[in-house]
Amino acid sequence: MKDQATPGDGPEATAPQRLSTREAAERLGVKPETVYAYVSRGQLSSRRAPGGRGSTFDAAEVDALARRTGRKAPSPATGDLVFRTGITLIEGDRYYFRGVDATELALRYDYEEVAEWLWTGELRPGVRFTAPAEALAAARRAVDALPAHSGSTDRLRVAVVAAATADPLRFDLSREAVLAAARSLVPTLVGALPLAADTPSAAEGTAGPSDAGGPGLARQLWSKLTPRLADEPSVAALDAALALLIDHDLAASTLAARVAASAHAHPYAVVSAGLGVLEGPLHGAASGLAHRMLTEVLERGSAAPVVADHLRTGRRVPGLGHRLYTSEDPRARALFALLDRVPESAGALAAARDVVTTMARHAPLHANVDLALAVLSVSCGMSAEAGETVFAVSRTAGWIAHALEEYGERPLRMRPSGEYGGPRPPQPLPAATGGPPR
């Protein structure tokens, strides 16, 4: 644990509201044809509209079906389906975990404490997650067998699969079994990663017992990211980054994790699904691009030529802007404040601020968490992919939280309908090319 800081009275109030087919479809987030499919299955009742033109539906019944299916009308901003979740709220340029300011949680509590609270609603000061010996050994063997050039996300994906094979109870989706798997998987992922180059073997952290005296996950991860000796301000910044990144609503990787959980995949498979999406350059790998940009700014002594090169070649300047925030990403703001206490980060922080100031002449974009992660990785002697590693380890806890939520929903509810745009049948069989005819 870190340091402390009335409806009306008119006739419309009693008469049931009726919806047209189009209105019912909009509330359910489906096509009008699907509304009639619900009627044919007995999930909705309908009544002929006055004059016999179309059908009408009871609004309360439609809303109840929407709650059961987890579907809502498309979002006006994006057109995407919206799924109810009680984990993260993003509102007013701030974000909250279960209604609590997430940045305050990350500044006050360790990563494991925040994760445990997010999963269970119980705050356990000093909680430490333990990697089972058999799972850790299997994960290390699998990771060690990979080619030397393998990236950290490659290693994490392999470690998850290996850990799953070591857990014969992985198909048990009861809440306690999933929580037990989660508490062991996160430290197994960290423990399976090799030490950073030039790191003395004695510096390797081990997954200790679940007591306040054991090393926290951030300290265990530190030696996997950098050969530098750990100091308290830097480890505190890394720990806060882990806590800040646990969840961020239905990001692409989290949606993939929920789809897997909807099919009742076990928690290791859920995490594998999330890792598969995370590796994209527009998601978890974005901080690596920001790392390389900051390194170039430091080498050239100014952000102006670096930003100019990005704009000249049509490349997006990394680490700036976020579709969910109109001002600075609150995760970046919290992490920058902690990095201000790390003397070695002064140069990278100045470079990041130079990028923001320079880019402001072209577009009013603010720093996002990828830029803050890049400052952390550059100033602490980490590789460009370190931010992606931090992101993946941290978000594992969030994917588990979403899996726990999704396991309580109707299975396979995330089954959208494709809008076919290919040639209409019947089409002739394709002609064989090459080789003798059969």
Side-chain angles (χ1 to χ4, degrees), residues 24 32 58 75 77-78 81 88 99 105 113 130 133-134 139 184 228 233 296 298 311 328 340 342 381 391 399 424 430:
D58 183 277
S75 163
T78 65
L81 288 176
T88 299
L105 279 168
E113 294 169 340
T130 304
E134 185 178 359
S184 67
R228 293 188 184 179
E296 187 179 357
L298 289 169
L311 298 178
E328 190 175 48
D340 261 327
V342 180
F391 204 121
W399 295 331
R424 297 297 305 172

Side-chain angles (χ1 to χ4, degrees), residues 3 29 42 62 78 148 176 200 206 223 267 275 285 309 332 368 375 381 384 390 406 435:
D3 293 337
V62 170
T78 65
E176 286 309 312
T206 57
S223 61
L275 285 171
D309 285 348
N368 62 34
V375 172
V390 174
E406 189 61 36

Side-chain angles (χ1 to χ4, degrees), residues 131-165:
E134 185 178 359
L136 183 57
R140 282 178 170 165
R141 285 194 301 270
V143 167
D144 289 346
L146 292 174
H149 64 264
S150 301
S152 63
T153 306
D154 296 323
R155 295 185 173 105
L156 291 172
R157 286 204 305 265
V158 168
V160 171
V161 174
T165 62

Side-chain angles (χ1 to χ4, degrees), residues 395-419:
R395 194 56 62 89
T396 297
W399 295 331
I400 294 294
H402 279 274
L404 286 165
E405 200 172 62
E406 189 61 36
Y407 288 147
E409 296 285 352
R410 179 176 57 82
L412 294 173
R413 67 190 180 113
M414 299 183 192
R415 178 62 171 88
S417 299
E419 186 173 343

